[in-house]
Every structure is written in C-alpha cells, then in structure tokens.
Amino acid sequence: MVFSHERPALDQPNPWASNAVRTVVTTVKNEAPFLLEWLCYHRLIGFNRFVIYSNDCTDGTHEMLRLLNDAGLVHHYDNSSPSPNAHQDPQRRAYARAMALSEVTTSDWVAVLDGDEFFTINAGEGTLDDLFHALPPRTDAVAAQWRIFGNNEVILFHADELQITQFCMASPKEIHFFYSQLAVKSLFRPYPVQQLGVHRPVFKINFGTPEKPIMFVNGSGADVTNRFLQRSWCMDHDMSGFDLCHVNHYMIRSSEVFLMKRWRGTANSSNVERINFDYFNRYNMNVVPETGITRWADRVTAARSDLIRQIPELGRLQAAAGETYRAQIDMLKAQLKAEAPDQYELLFNPEAQRRDTARRQEELESMLTRQKKRAAAEIEDASAAAAQPRHIRASPILLAPLTSETLVPVMPLLSMTPWATLPDDPLDVARTRIAAADPQPQGAQSADLPPQWLIDLRRSPYKRGFYHSEEEFAALHVERKRAHLFVTFDNLSQVGLTGIDRDAWGYEFGRKSDWSQLGIFAFRANWFRNPLLFDYLRQLRDAKLFERYQTVTFSGTSMGAYAACAFSSLVPGAQVIAFSPQSTLSAGLVPWEGRFPSGRAADWRGDFSDATTETAGASRVFLIYDPLDENDRAHAERFAGDNITHLRAPMAGHKTALRLRQADLLSKVVRGLAMDGLSPKDFRALYRSARMQPWYLNALGHRLAARGRSDWLSRLAQIARQNGRPNVAKNMEISARPASAANVMP
C-alpha cells in the first residue's frame, strides 16, 4: 500500500453531497508499539484524515507522530500542557481544541476513537464505502456499539504481532454482563455538531427540531434518534445492532500490556487507580469468538511494512518502544510478584486465565437459559392477559401526553390545595413568612403558609410545573430552563417535617441556580423502597420528561444519595452527586451495616435494590464522603466503574453535605461538579479551606485525644486560637491537660 501525502478536499455546502473526507480524532498516550497498526488499519478501511493529540508520552509516540505529521499523513498536536482556560482533563482538552480546527469542521464524516478502538465494518467488504452505501439516506450519525475484547488468554507482550489477530475473544452481542458493554462510539457528520464527546457528539441547540432534523442510527441502520439526540452514550438493551458496524475495543490486550496500562494511566485521566485489577476482572471478556476484523490482517501487515520502508525512522522508534515496554514490564512484574502475589497469579497464571474464560462462558450459558425462560413466560403471560387484562397502575399526574407545545404536565395547583390565596405582592409573602417565624401568643393558631416552590410557580417568571402526592412520597417539578434538570431526594431528617411550607431537598439552591428541578419528598423512613414510586418515576421517564433537558443531575445525601444513585439508571447519561451515599441496606449485600433500623426493615428485594449496579449508565458519579467513617467508606468502595469519582472529605463524618454548607462550600461544589467546572484537585483545594471550621477542628481533636496524642492536641489548640477559634482551642486545652499531666508524672 502506497501512502498518499495529499490532503483531502474540503467539504461541500450540501452536507450529503460528499462522503469524501473521513476524519478520525483521537488522543493517545504511550501507544508507540501499537500506533502504526491502528493507523494502517483505519486508512485501509477508508479514513483519510487523522487528527491526533498526544500527551505526556515517554515511549516515542510523540516522535512517531511528528514524523507522520511531517510526511502529511496525520495532523499531530502535542496536548501535554494545558493553556490558560483549557480543560485540565487531556481528552476533553483535545476534543475542545479539535472542534476549532478546519481539518475537523470541513470533514464529511468524523469518528472519535481511542488508540485501542478499531472501527469495524460488517457490511460488504468492510470499507467505509460499503457502510455509506448501506446507511439510510440523510443519516447524520451512526452509533457503533462496543465489542469489548479480553486478552484471549495471551499473557506475553509480543511487539510485532497484530492486535487484531492476537485477541479474538470478545463480549457477546445478545447478552450484556454490565451496562457499559452497551456503550457506543459515533461516526457523524460535523455540520450540526457543537462539541465532541468520548462516545457521541453534542449537537447545536437548533438541530434536532422539525426545521433541522437529525437522524442517528445504530450499527444495523435502525433509527435511534430519540435515544441519542440529547445525551445518551449507551444503547438500550433492545436497540443493539451489529449488522453494518461495531467497534472492537481492546481494553485489556495481553496480561503484560495490561500491567503497563495500569502503571501508565490513560490518555484521558491522570488517575492510575481507575485502571486496577477490578478493571481487569470486569473487562477481560473472553466469552465468544469474534474474528471478522482478521480479514484485514495481511493487508495491515503489508501496509505497516510499506510505511516503515518509506519512513525508516518509524521502524526504529517502534522497535525501541518495544524494548522499553519489555524492560518496564519485567520490572513491574517483579514488583507485583513481591508485593501482591494474588494479583500476579490473576494476571500471569495460564490456569487462572483458563478458569476465568470457562467461568465467563458458563455465565453466558446460564444467562441465555434464563433469557429463554423469561421469553417463554412473557408469551404465556401475554396469552393470559388477553383473556383477563392486567390492572395497570397509572398516575393522575400524566393528564396528557407531552408534546413540543406542552413543556411539562400542568396541574391547577392552587385550586387543589387548602392554602389561602397568595398576596399579590411577593414582598407581602416574605413579610408573612418572617412574622410567622416569631413566637405566637399562647393559644394563638399560626396560619398555614405556602411553600416557596408554590410562590415561585404562581409569582415568578417560571409558572410551569406540578406537585403530585401519594401516601409515602410526593414529587415536585418546577420548569425553569431546558439547560439543566436537578433531580433531588429527601434525606432521613426531612421525613419527620410536617410543616406545610416544606421544600424539596436542595430547592433553594436550584432556584438560585435557575435550574429546573424534580424533587422527590419522603413521608416515610422507608428509603424510597416503594413500588408505586418506581412506577411513577418510570412514567415520567416514558413521558420523556427527562429528555427535555440537555443535562440531568441526580443528587441527595445519605438516604437521598442512595436514591439519587439508584434511580439514575432511569436516565442513562445523567450525572450523580451523592453525599455520604449508602449503596443499599440489603442485609445480604451489606451485612456489616447496623445503622438506620427503619431503612433496614424495608423490603430490599427487586428493582433498584443495589445502587452500585444502577450507576453503570451514568456519565459521571461523584461520591463525596468521609473516608474515616468506616461504614460510609465501605459503601463508597462498593461502587466501581470508569465513571466513579471518589471525593474524600475527612472529618466531615456522615454529614458531608451539612459540613460543606457550614463552610459555605456546598453550592460551589454542587454547581462546579454539575457544570463540569470542578476537578477532584479543585475539590481538594476547596475542602482544605474548611480546615479551620469548628466541626473540622473538633473532629480532629477528638481523634487525637482518642489516640492519647496530647502533644499534638495542644499544638492544634494553638493553631485554632491563632485562627480565631478560641472556644474550640479552650476545649482542646482542657482535653489535653490530664494527658499532659500524666506524661510528666514520675
């Protein structure tokens, strides 16, 4: 194969006039041994423009890309150092920069792929021309689903062998072991795109309307626009399609290469702990054979050799990278064997590899058997239902289907409540609230005052919303703007509140942020374990309430944090901000949990019972907790996945949200996380500013006293006094005094 150095022509005004310019945007870090195979393969199937960002490479990847750039084969950009106002995350920084390039915006098609992802075409001869010929007319984007490849029981790193022939065992098509197996990568026309994303683009706000429609199809060409127009990054279980294309994702490669991957981190994260041995256990998917891509092996080998012949320095750099890998792997293996022999056994014992493959395949057979039984049972149930229709529980809140003209379900709130007519002037309402807060004369009866949300719905610029009440819960929706929906859940302390003016958790924050909100009230301490609530939230989902917003954030604390995590699965692609989250109170899953007796007494069978399995489809899950609280830490550690971020708040105890509010940090944290403006590093810096809060000092003092460290306690008292906390200092000095006296006694 002779590599052309010519740039493709620019785009045509008509977005469907040409399929000529096919661009790949990618970010890489230390991919030198694998780079040329990836590049040659994608050129062979029809991509002809490559925009590649590299960051923090130490194995020659930068140098190889510079050579390829100089030869006109790729557009290479060093993405190691962020410029002012650039995103700290290298991958997102690269995507933002790429969207400003004419090389991207003038393309006919763009695919965003990682260095371990191979776009695989199953139509025709396996080329992009075959795919474009098979797609429905006027397609704007294709959601190609992952096939996750395991190590194929390959243990050693083979520098010269192709990945596409070494690794031929993958996740099955028909069964999903976990939610992220449903993830997609997108091939799309850039003209309606505002922002690049890891899995799918974000469209410009005026696209996806009747005037400017968007067509998004799956890997079989079926229309999945409603699923992906706004935010989703995973397929629904019944939307999978592989007839035309999919993406081979070599997440593990060989065991030795995985060890290197764990050591180096990833191109899109500096958090090495994201790639851990749980990651290996989860994604080492040696389940079913998948060899379709191997038809390209001979051509890829020839093209790679031809490229090295044209640019010999590429071969030298690739060989040097292989030697670097070999030396680093040998060192890491020796270290792992000495420090963690069990994990060493997991990676490098061939028998352990065979057992894991057999286990996966047995699990698949079991799941297929259960699937067949469920299908048979559904047919039987359908026959029975035809004779005697089932009762379907429906909510009176859904008075009419949602349309583009009707923003949200609307109820005549004022006429359905016993509250007095509101004053015309909102200031009168405020004065009435202040007066009500004053002590009442003995025997006097205070008036029931309207809650703030009702005032807002009747007197603010935003008058759309609803309030729906059941015996054990209620739901409040206030429609403000379409940019963001804040979904919140009560915590345990709110259950006993009987005042008629009760607001949803986080309501005032959502109001000040100008976010729309769906707040779920709890009237029983049953931790939202109510099938009627399950059905109600599903109805809101099916009525497409959540799809009306560009982004959705679920949030709560403790009991509310469990609910935020658990119910986030109703909105794939949503984000979660959970304070002191409890993963479940099921005795079978957390037998060590002895708190919350009313919650443990609830029925933890059935749907949404384990929040850790429900967050797999969330885009990002922020867990904010005190790692010194053993129970809260144990709950947090049950969550696993690429989308989980642990934000540790030592000394806060179980009341992380309250402590952040007392430090005047809660609003900054929630708004920063929800709006993607607060990194873990930023959170740590913010939290450090709370160290002079009385609650922080007292908690630290109690720990020092419990350890008998009177010397440290005295020093802490001095620091507290110097920072304007005399009362805290005095208590510490009293606590330290007996211990100090004991230390000097003969």
Side-chain angles (χ1 to χ4, degrees):
M1 176 182 181
V2 177
F3 282 79
S4 170
H5 295 191
E6 296 180 1
R7 305 289 191 192
L10 297 182
D11 193 11
Q12 301 292 324
N14 180 351
W16 292 283
S18 172
N19 291 327
V21 185
R22 300 92 173 262
T23 298
V24 177
V25 176
T26 191
T27 61
V28 295
K29 176 181 178 180
N30 287 352
E31 287 284 332
F34 316 105
L35 178 64
L36 297 184
E37 176 192 356
W38 181 91
L39 176 64
C40 291
Y41 168 78
H42 284 99
R43 285 185 66 90
L44 282 166
I45 68 170
F47 286 102
N48 49 27
R49 183 183 284 171
F50 295 83
V51 175
I52 303 180
Y53 290 83
S54 59
N55 63 276
D56 308 301
C57 296
T58 59
D59 69 342
T61 299
H62 278 317
E63 291 76 10
M64 293 177 74
L65 287 169
R66 288 192 193 107
L67 289 170
L68 292 166
N69 182 84
D70 293 343
L73 298 175
V74 306
H75 300 266
H76 171 234
Y77 301 91
D78 188 337
N79 193 42
S80 299
S81 301
S83 57
N85 302 319
H87 204 290
Q88 291 298 310
D89 177 83
Q91 192 172 43
R92 298 187 185 193
R93 183 166 70 237
Y95 293 163
R97 290 171 170 173
M99 206 54 205
L101 297 177
S102 62
E103 288 87 357
V104 175
T105 57
T106 61
S107 301
D108 293 299
W109 290 92
V110 174
V112 176
L113 298 172
D114 292 341
D116 59 359
E117 293 175 329
F118 285 60
F119 198 93
T120 306
I121 298 166
N122 303 315
E125 297 299 314
T127 68
L128 285 173
D129 287 337
D130 294 314
L131 175 63
F132 296 145
H133 179 74
L135 288 175
R138 302 178 71 85
T139 295
D140 296 285
V142 182
Q145 196 168 321
W146 269 351
R147 296 293 301 278
I148 298 175
F149 281 69
N151 67 357
N152 203 28
E153 300 179 18
V154 176
I155 292 175
L156 302 179
F157 164 56
H158 299 288
D160 295 327
E161 292 189 29
L162 298 181
Q163 299 167 86
I164 61 175
T165 54
Q166 284 188 86
F167 311 117
C168 299
M169 295 290 286
S171 55
K173 297 177 181 178
E174 62 275 73
I175 290 291
H176 310 110
F177 287 78
F178 41 80
Y179 192 81
S180 55
Q181 190 181 328
L182 294 163
V184 304
K185 302 293 285 198
S186 300
L187 174 68
F188 52 89
R189 298 184 184 273
Y191 74 97
V193 170
Q194 173 180 312
Q195 178 182 328
L196 302 183
V198 177
H199 295 280
R200 47 77 50 79
V202 176
F203 296 109
K204 297 171 184 174
I205 197 160
N206 57 331
F207 281 84
T209 62
E211 294 76 24
K212 294 185 176 181
I214 294 288
M215 178 181 282
F216 217 129
V217 302
N218 71 1
S220 290
D223 191 338
V224 291
T225 305
N226 290 338
R227 175 71 175 174
F228 287 98
L229 183 60
Q230 295 296 333
R231 70 182 66 85
S232 295
W233 62 279
C234 286
M235 287 289 179
D236 263 347
H237 291 275
D238 58 352
M239 288 182 176
S240 294
F242 301 92
D243 295 335
L244 302 182
C245 63
H246 67 268
V247 170
N248 284 15
H249 193 184
Y250 300 103
M251 299 178 75
I252 302 297
R253 294 168 170 156
S254 72
S255 295
E256 288 190 336
V257 174
F258 173 79
L259 187 61
M260 278 287 288
K261 180 176 181 176
R262 169 163 168 72
W263 170 74
R264 73 171 190 192
T266 62
N268 65 315
S269 175
S270 60
N271 178 16
V272 69
E273 290 306 316
R274 187 176 77 83
I275 310 296
N276 54 27
F277 293 100
D278 288 337
Y279 183 102
F280 181 86
N281 285 330
R282 183 177 182 84
Y283 294 116
N284 192 30
M285 297 292 288
N286 299 316
V287 186
V288 297
E290 172 53 56
T291 59
I293 199 172
T294 59
R295 59 178 164 173
W296 291 98
D298 291 342
R299 283 172 284 181
V300 170
T301 299
R304 186 174 64 176
S305 298
D306 186 60
L307 183 56
I308 291 172
R309 181 184 57 77
Q310 294 184 53
I311 312 175
E313 183 65 10
L314 286 174
R316 188 193 69 78
L317 287 169
Q318 180 176 271
E323 294 172 2
T324 300
Y325 258 62
R326 181 72 268 155
Q328 188 67 53
I329 286 169
D330 291 343
M331 183 187 73
L332 292 172
K333 285 178 72 175
Q335 182 180 345
L336 183 68
K337 188 173 184 179
E339 296 178 359
D342 290 345
Q343 293 172 345
Y344 182 91
E345 184 83 359
L346 170 71
L347 289 182
F348 302 118
N349 184 334
E351 184 56 36
Q353 298 284 299
R354 286 191 287 271
R355 286 197 303 268
D356 184 65
T357 299
R359 176 185 63 81
R360 292 276 196 182
Q361 293 173 341
E362 289 171 3
E363 188 176 354
L364 173 63
E365 290 301 317
S366 177
M367 294 171 76
L368 287 170
T369 300
R370 290 197 300 270
Q371 185 182 68
K372 291 176 182 177
K373 289 181 178 179
R374 282 197 301 270
E378 287 172 3
I379 293 173
E380 185 177 344
D381 290 344
S383 300
Q388 186 174 359
R390 292 183 297 132
H391 171 69
I392 299 177
R393 189 162 39 208
S395 168
I397 193 62
L398 301 179
L399 304 177
L402 290 172
T403 66
S404 58
E405 290 76 26
T406 304
L407 299 184
V408 291
V410 179
M411 293 181 66
L413 288 169
L414 194 59
S415 64
M416 297 181 66
T417 61
W419 298 317
T421 302
L422 298 178
D424 292 332
D425 185 355
L427 288 177
D428 290 341
V429 178
R431 295 188 193 102
T432 305
R433 285 180 172 276
I434 293 170
D438 293 335
Q440 299 292 320
Q442 188 171 3
Q445 186 174 358
S446 61
D448 279 339
L449 297 174
Q452 184 62 50
W453 57 262
L454 182 55
I455 296 172
D456 293 341
L457 284 172
R458 299 297 293 171
R459 299 293 184 228
S460 78
Y462 307 113
K463 296 182 172 63
R464 288 188 178 273
F466 60 76
Y467 179 83
H468 174 78
S469 187
E470 297 286 349
E471 183 177 357
E472 294 187 351
F473 71 91
L476 162 70
H477 181 268
V478 178
E479 170 94 347
R480 293 190 179 97
K481 294 183 178 179
R482 293 286 186 86
H484 195 73
L485 177 66
F486 192 41
V487 184
T488 65
F489 298 83
D490 276 358
N491 60 31
L492 198 57
S493 65
Q494 292 174 280
V495 171
L497 298 179
T498 58
I500 203 71
D501 61 345
R502 176 173 165 182
D503 282 330
W505 189 84
Y507 181 81
E508 191 61 23
F509 167 76
R511 180 172 179 258
K512 290 179 179 177
S513 301
D514 214 15
W515 292 351
S516 296
Q517 184 167 2
L518 174 65
I520 307 299
F521 296 83
F523 303 144
R524 297 285 187 276
N526 63 358
W527 285 61
F528 301 100
R529 299 298 302 158
N530 185 331
L532 183 61
L533 174 62
F534 303 166
D535 287 353
Y536 178 76
L537 292 174
R538 289 189 181 105
Q539 288 179 54
L540 294 183
R541 175 200 63 190
D542 296 343
K544 302 188 184 305
L545 175 66
F546 302 108
E547 294 184 18
R548 309 185 76 81
Y549 299 94
Q550 294 177 21
T551 56
V552 178
T553 297
F554 285 72
S555 190
T557 181
S558 189
M559 179 180 83
Y562 149 73
C565 293
F567 295 119
S568 69
S569 60
L570 295 169
V571 189
Q575 54 192 358
V576 181
I577 304 173
F579 296 92
S580 303
Q582 310 303 294
S583 58
T584 181
L585 294 185
S586 168
L589 296 174
V590 290
W592 36 264
E593 177 60 84
R595 303 170 297 175
F596 318 116
S598 60
R600 287 186 284 116
D603 185 353
W604 288 88
R605 298 170 295 179
D607 296 341
F608 308 108
S609 58
D610 187 356
T612 65
T613 64
E614 302 294 333
T615 53
S619 61
R620 301 181 302 168
V621 180
F622 299 102
L623 307 179
I624 305 167
Y625 63 96
D626 183 349
L628 303 175
D629 185 312
E630 293 185 4
N631 285 299
D632 282 3
R633 185 182 70 248
H635 279 288
E637 288 175 349
R638 295 191 67 242
F639 289 84
D642 300 348
N643 58 346
I644 304 296
T645 300
H646 293 261
L647 301 176
R648 297 169 177 84
M651 307 300 164
H654 186 62
K655 299 180 179 179
T656 48
L658 174 62
R659 298 310 187 201
L660 289 171
R661 183 164 63 84
Q662 290 172 335
D664 198 26
L665 297 177
L666 183 60
S667 295
K668 296 176 185 177
V669 168
V670 175
R671 189 175 292 111
L673 294 176
M675 297 291 100
D676 198 21
L678 187 74
S679 68
K681 182 180 178 181
D682 296 333
F683 175 83
R684 291 192 292 272
L686 270 181
Y687 193 71
R688 280 196 297 272
S689 70
R691 288 182 295 182
M692 287 302 114
Q693 290 289 316
W695 54 264
Y696 189 100
L697 293 168
N698 285 328
L700 181 55
H702 287 313
R703 290 183 68 83
L704 294 176
R707 295 179 180 181
R709 296 309 305 260
S710 57
D711 50 344
W712 288 11
L713 190 57
S714 297
R715 176 60 184 142
L716 183 62
Q718 293 176 10
I719 294 172
R721 192 175 296 280
Q722 292 166 0
N723 284 273
R725 302 295 184 190
N727 294 331
V728 175
K730 183 177 179 181
N731 291 334
M732 289 180 181
E733 289 163 352
I734 293 172
S735 298
R737 195 172 301 140
S740 299
N743 288 339
V744 299
M745 287 179 65

